[in-house]
Amino acid sequence: EAGVTQFPSHSVIEKGQTVTLRCDPISGHDNLYWYRRVMGKEIKFLLHFVKESKQDESGMPNNRFLAERTGGTYSTLKVQPAELEDSGVYFCASSHRAGSYDNEQFFGPGTRLTVL
Amino acid sequence: LAKTTQPISMDSYEGQEVNITCSHNNIATNDYITWYQQFPSQGPRFIIQGYKTKVTNEVASLFIPADRKSSTLSLPRVSLSDTAVYYCLVGELSGGYQKVTFGTGTKLQVIP
């Protein structure tokens, strides 16, 4: 079974540009999460999808960040316009069916974003 | 979300048992305790989860005292490949989802 995949693995952009990160969860997982770790800080929760619906987006830092999960499969996280402080590693995770208590989160390898 | 406190780092020799203790004084009644492991350049990986007493799987054991204000992850006979950061997370399970917050974690260095 394929794990959670993220694309790209590394992105380098200039301040003011737009970047879109993609996450493909494990097939059949309804729950999808985005996290990020900025330099030297802890991994922080950004948001949680159940299928295509945003269940909790309390961790989204500001309106420059837009997450989507059309069709309830893969998800994208767009940063527009990117700022220097957005640099860090963005992790995606998925977990089992909604309503199930099999809540282990499977993480992808992360996308390292560098904003110059 | 309950705040967790763990040692920042630990060293251990190969073959020894390692116990990492996490403090979570304000754990709520519905909170579960979950431990994740993270290797460099990888995402965190689930190790074990428990609510009270003792939980054991093929990788580790988790000891939770009656007051649940702390928990101890026990790794038997560690090897060099167990060198990683270990995170203790506390959060409520709701609808198949545990909202968690990662702390600083404990960086375990296994020495040959």
Side-chain angles (χ1 to χ4, degrees), chain A residues 31 33 35 37 42-43 45 48 56 58 91 95 97-101 103-105 107-109, chain B residues 34 36 38 41-46 49 87 93-104:
Chain A
N31 294 292
Y33 319 82
Y35 297 84
R37 174 161 58 203
E42 301 163 3
I43 299 173
F45 167 85
H48 166 218
D56 180 352
S58 60
F91 293 104
S95 68
R97 303 179 304 276
S100 162
Y101 283 89
N103 64 88
E104 173 182 348
Q105 294 186 29
F107 281 77
Chain B
T34 309
Y36 279 79
Q38 186 179 27
S41 301
Q42 294 186 23
R45 185 173 73 101
F46 176 95
Q49 183 180 78
Y87 294 96
L93 293 183
S94 175
Y97 157 57
Q98 183 182 33
K99 182 172 182 177
V100 294
T101 184
F102 285 80
T104 55

Side-chain angles (χ1 to χ4, degrees), chain A residues 29-32 47-57 67-75 98:
Chain A
H29 280 193
D30 290 335
N31 294 292
L32 187 149
L47 89 160
H48 166 218
F49 284 99
V50 177
K51 298 184 180 179
E52 67 276 8
S53 300
K54 292 177 185 175
Q55 184 78 9
D56 180 352
E57 51 183 330
E68 294 180 321
R69 193 183 182 196
T70 306
T73 54
Y74 71 90
S75 174

Side-chain angles (χ1 to χ4, degrees), chain A:
Chain A
E1 178 184 276
V4 176
T5 57
Q6 295 186 242
F7 182 83
S9 58
H10 193 179
S11 179
V12 181
I13 61 173
E14 293 190 351
K15 175 183 173 181
Q17 290 186 320
T18 297
V19 63
T20 299
L21 313 180
R22 173 172 170 141
C23 168
D24 285 80
I26 292 173
S27 178
H29 280 193
D30 290 335
N31 294 292
L32 187 149
Y33 319 82
W34 283 99
Y35 297 84
R36 77 169 180 177
R37 174 161 58 203
V38 296
M39 184 67 72
K41 298 288 183 64
E42 301 163 3
I43 299 173
K44 295 286 190 183
F45 167 85
L46 295 179
L47 89 160
H48 166 218
F49 284 99
V50 177
K51 298 184 180 179
E52 67 276 8
S53 300
K54 292 177 185 175
Q55 184 78 9
D56 180 352
E57 51 183 330
S58 60
M60 294 288 265
N62 52 61
N63 59 12
R64 295 186 294 104
F65 289 76
L66 175 63
E68 294 180 321
R69 193 183 182 196
T70 306
T73 54
Y74 71 90
S75 174
T76 58
L77 180 64
K78 180 189 288 187
V79 185
Q80 178 182 31
E83 298 289 346
L84 298 178
E85 65 264 25
D86 300 332
S87 295
V89 181
Y90 290 75
F91 293 104
C92 174
S94 70
S95 68
H96 226 289
R97 303 179 304 276
S100 162
Y101 283 89
D102 183 6
N103 64 88
E104 173 182 348
Q105 294 186 29
F106 295 83
F107 281 77
T111 292
R112 180 173 295 277
L113 174 64
T114 303
V115 182
L116 303 176

Side-chain angles (χ1 to χ4, degrees), chain A residues 104, chain B residues 35 46-49 54-62 73-76:
Chain A
E104 173 182 348
Chain B
W35 286 79
F46 176 95
I47 302 176
I48 197 166
Q49 183 180 78
K54 177 183 175 182
V55 180
T56 297
N57 61 23
E58 65 277 6
V59 177
S61 294
L62 178 60
L73 175 72
S74 181
L75 304 172

